[in-house]
Structures are given as C-alpha cells and as structure tokens.
Amino acid sequence: MTTSSSTSHTSSTSTGSGTSTGSGGPDRISAQRVAELTETESRHLNEQTRASAAMYERARHSLVGGVASSYQLRDPWPIYLDHGEGPRVWDVDGNEMWDFHNGFGAMIQGHAHPAIGRAIQERYSRGTHFAAPTEDALVVAENLSARWGLPRWRYTNSGSESTMDAIRIARAYTGRDTVMKIFGSYHGHHDTVMVSIGVEYDQIGDREDLASLAYGGGIPQATVDMTVPVPFNDAGAMERRIIRLAEEGRKPACVIMEPVMMNLGVVLPEPGYLEEVREVTRRHGVVLIFDEVKTGLAIGPGGATARFGVTPDLVTLAKGLGGGTPSGAIGGTEEVMSVVEDHTVYQVGTYNGNPLVMAAVRANLEQVLTPEAYDHLDYLNDRILTGCNQVISRYDLPGYVVGVGAKGCVTFSPQKVVDYESFKANQDAALSELAWLFNMNRGIFMTPGREEEWTLSVTHTDEAVDAYVACFEELAAAITR
C-alpha cells in the first residue's frame, strides 16, 4: 500500500493507490470565473434535461421532493435515469453518459452484468423468498470469511442495517452504551450514527473534544449525546478521548470507522494509523468496527481489511456486495459474534439472506469480482490518477488526486486533507459544484455534491477513463484561462 505526502506523487499499478498535489494557491482560480462558468453550465444542463424536468413535475406530487431519497435531490430538478449497460447509463432525455457514479459506489460490476443476471433469473424460477436459509447463503458466508479472515457472518439488507446491527452487537458484548465514531464519516441513516457528519467549520469544536451534533431533525438528543466523535488519522486523540470517557463512566462500547474515509472525497489512512487504532481499541477493550460499506469489495477482494492488513472485531458490508440488489452483511470474530450465537442479541430481518439476493451475491463473488477483475480496476485507477495528476501539474491547479482500487477523486484543496477539520478548512465547494456540472454536460455521470469522487466498474475501459481525464482537462483550461 502506498500513500504520499501532499507535496509529492506516488502511485503503483500493483496497488492502484496514491496521491498528488499541485502547487497552485487558492488565488490561482478566480471565484468570479467559477461563478460565471457555473451559471453557464447549469443553464446548459437544464436545457439538456427537459424530460427530467417534466418527470419531476409529475413525481413531486407523490414522491416527497420528487425523489426516493434526499441524497437524490438536485435544484431545480433531479436527473432521472432510464437504463444502464456495462459502464454507461442513459437518462430519460436519452443523454448517454459514462457512469462514474455507479449508484453511490454500489455498481462495481457494471450495469446488467450477464453473470449476475443469469443467477437472478435462475433463482427467480425456483422461488424468490422463503424467510428460511438456503445453500447460497452458506456459500457466500464461506467466501466472505475467506476474504476477510473473520469466521462468523450474518446478513442484512443495506449498509445502514449492517452498521446498526454491528453497534448493537458491540454494545451487548461489552455491556456499554457509548459509541465512538470519526467526525465527518457517514455510517447510514439510523439515529446512533446520524451524528457529527456535516457541519460548518466553526461548529466542529476543539480537536480534543469534538462536538456531538445531530445530522438533521428527528434524532433524540439523548442518542446524540451517546455518540462521541474523534478526528481521523489521529490515534492519540482517540485514545485520550477513550480515557476521559472511561473516567466519566462512559467508556465506549465500540469505535466505528471507515478505514478509508469516503465522505470527504477519498481520504487514505496515514501510514501506521490503522495499526495504532487496532492497538488502542484492543488495549482498552473497545470493539473495533470497520465500516466497509463503501470500501468492501470496491478496493480489493478483502476490502480495506485485507489491503491494509489490519483486522477489526466486526466489519460491515453492503453496496458492492449485491451487484445492485439490496444486500448487506456483518462479519466478526467468534468471540464478539457469540452474543448473537447465544441469543443475547436478536439479529433479525425478514429479508435477511433473501434467496434472490444471495444468488446475485454468490455470482458476484465467484464470477465477477475475481483476481483478474481487481487487476483491471487497479490498472484503470492508476491510469486515471496519472492522467489527472498530469492535468493538475500542467495547469498548476490547487488540488490533488487520490485513489485506491475502484475508488478515487480529485480534491480541490491546496493542502492535503487528512480529516474533517482540514477538509472544511480547505475545500472549494464552488469548484466542486462546477466540476460536477462540467462532467454531466460532457457525458460523465458523477456523484453529486462531493469532491469529485469516482467509482470505476470492471466494465470500464481505457476509453471511459480517457473521457474522464479529457473532461477534467477541459475544466482546468476553462478555470485558468
């Protein structure tokens, strides 16, 4: 695994990871120029998505906000998609785009993968739901156990369910209630983790005593107070907060964290950080949960756990697991999962291990996400990192690129982002918004509202990656003109 400082570039085709940064300062780009381009690009996108506008007018009368999830909102209307195939998607206006969004990182298999389609079709004719175990559920658990090095598994239907159940298991195992998380990380939409995700810079609080803040309404203050945030890439701050909480009689049951932060673009762990976290949590008897909903299967066959060589007590999966089906999983040690085995914790769900989903997951693990597939993803990510790095250098942009496996981003910051505090201090939200518009108007479908985060699929090609880099270069030329 290779990472780099904010002033150098290292990348490796064997790991497909690395960072680089340009030397340009914030004054290198005119805010007025960005605003003018944003207005032009917004107008163009609206002109090209009139069918989406019409669909929004219909949808907003029955769907709240015209969408199925608040993360699908866009002003003045969302972009409604019609279909996808391999690395491409088409919206309801017929606009064809390379898909670097990939369902918030879920579709690393590409759309309508034939192996997964066959598995679903064959399973459908044999029955789609029993609320009883099937052989595919067993085979999938064996496969995941081998990939993650964790022996015991259970299923859910989403990432939110996976993290919710993992926290409940940790609380039952330790007999404690407090949860520690990384400030700025998103772990799903259940109350316990809807805390300290997105706030303004001046609300973050002192680094040694970060604020517990509800993410939206409807979350009880008592729940907010039981969730304590700490900064990423700072194991010392984590341990000091654990010690203080223990002195207050509030020792955490668990630390839940993304081993690679995926809510600020992509933020890699600094060398040795995950190893230190593992040692800190072990020393204090705190359950370590790796939330691999986004990294799991996306950055390697055993996710970040295998890629960085640090094994947690519990791991949570979803997104890339099911090939587009609503799936999730929790893996754990024999010791921690014993509270499920002995019925202390009721880990339940009518659709857990649904046969249709398990058939898709099995085909995904056995036929799609193979060693050769990960070699291809690493190759593509190294190609996109190299191309974007060359653009940054050529135009002296204040930013850098970072990527690993199927994931990566361009971060518009003159300084390396290592945690939420440095992200909020340096992010250029206006430029990120313009970059999204530039991509959408040039046939690159991207995740909205983020630091240019991409997800590759096994069906992406050199042509797709080169189209992304070409669009980025067009943006760079326009903003530095």
Side-chain angles (χ1 to χ4, degrees), residues 277-357:
V277 167
R278 175 68 281 186
E279 180 55 33
V280 166
T281 52
R282 185 177 286 121
R283 181 162 57 245
H284 292 280
V286 175
V287 173
L288 177 58
I289 304 171
F290 275 0
D291 176 0
E292 291 221 51
V293 168
K294 295 178 182 177
T295 55
L297 296 170
I299 71 170
T305 297
R307 193 136 198 170
F308 292 95
V310 177
T311 304
D313 300 300
L314 294 170
V315 68
T316 60
L317 304 178
K319 292 195 185 296
L321 181 66
T325 61
S327 59
I330 309 161
T333 63
E334 293 276 2
E335 187 177 12
V336 175
M337 283 296 218
S338 66
V339 295
V340 179
E341 185 83 42
D342 67 14
H343 313 301
T344 300
V345 170
Y346 295 107
Q347 195 279 324
V348 296
T350 298
Y351 284 92
N352 289 4
N354 168 266
L356 205 63
V357 171

Side-chain angles (χ1 to χ4, degrees), residues 138-371:
L138 168 61
V139 172
V140 168
E142 291 171 338
N143 191 303
L144 294 175
S145 179
R147 286 173 181 250
W148 262 267
L150 291 167
R152 307 289 269 168
W153 291 82
R154 276 291 179 93
Y155 301 117
T156 68
N157 304 288
S158 70
S160 290
E161 288 184 28
S162 293
T163 59
M164 178 181 68
D165 285 0
I167 289 171
R168 183 177 298 158
I169 291 167
R171 281 171 160 164
Y173 176 72
T174 61
R176 301 190 292 267
D177 296 334
T178 303
V179 171
M180 182 169 281
K181 71 180 289 286
I182 300 298
F183 200 108
S185 281
Y186 177 79
H187 298 290
H189 58 259
H190 54 99
D191 288 357
T192 297
V193 292
M194 289 284 276
V195 175
S196 298
I197 297 173
V199 301
E200 294 306 313
Y201 182 70
D202 60 0
Q203 298 178 29
I204 296 171
D206 181 82
R207 187 173 186 81
E208 293 292 319
D209 191 25
L210 295 174
S212 296
L213 301 167
Y215 186 55
I219 304 170
Q221 187 60 44
T223 301
V224 174
D225 293 340
M226 281 196 296
T227 301
V228 178
V230 294
F232 192 59
N233 274 322
D234 192 339
M238 176 185 289
E239 182 164 31
R240 290 188 292 274
R241 196 74 187 268
I242 289 173
I243 292 171
R244 290 199 301 277
L245 289 169
E247 291 171 348
E248 297 168 9
R250 298 200 297 144
K251 187 177 183 180
C254 62
V255 169
I256 183 168
M257 62 178 294
E258 292 180 300
V260 179
M261 280 194 79
M262 292 284 184
N263 204 42
L264 315 176
V266 176
V267 181
L268 294 173
E270 292 294 292
Y273 168 66
L274 295 179
E275 289 85 352
E276 290 181 50
V277 167
R278 175 68 281 186
E279 180 55 33
V280 166
T281 52
R282 185 177 286 121
R283 181 162 57 245
H284 292 280
V286 175
V287 173
L288 177 58
I289 304 171
F290 275 0
D291 176 0
E292 291 221 51
V293 168
K294 295 178 182 177
T295 55
L297 296 170
I299 71 170
T305 297
R307 193 136 198 170
F308 292 95
V310 177
T311 304
D313 300 300
L314 294 170
V315 68
T316 60
L317 304 178
K319 292 195 185 296
L321 181 66
T325 61
S327 59
I330 309 161
T333 63
E334 293 276 2
E335 187 177 12
V336 175
M337 283 296 218
S338 66
V339 295
V340 179
E341 185 83 42
D342 67 14
H343 313 301
T344 300
V345 170
Y346 295 107
Q347 195 279 324
V348 296
T350 298
Y351 284 92
N352 289 4
N354 168 266
L356 205 63
V357 171
M358 288 294 102
V361 174
R362 181 175 180 177
N364 180 35
L365 294 175
E366 293 182 343
Q367 301 177 53
V368 182
L369 298 182
T370 61

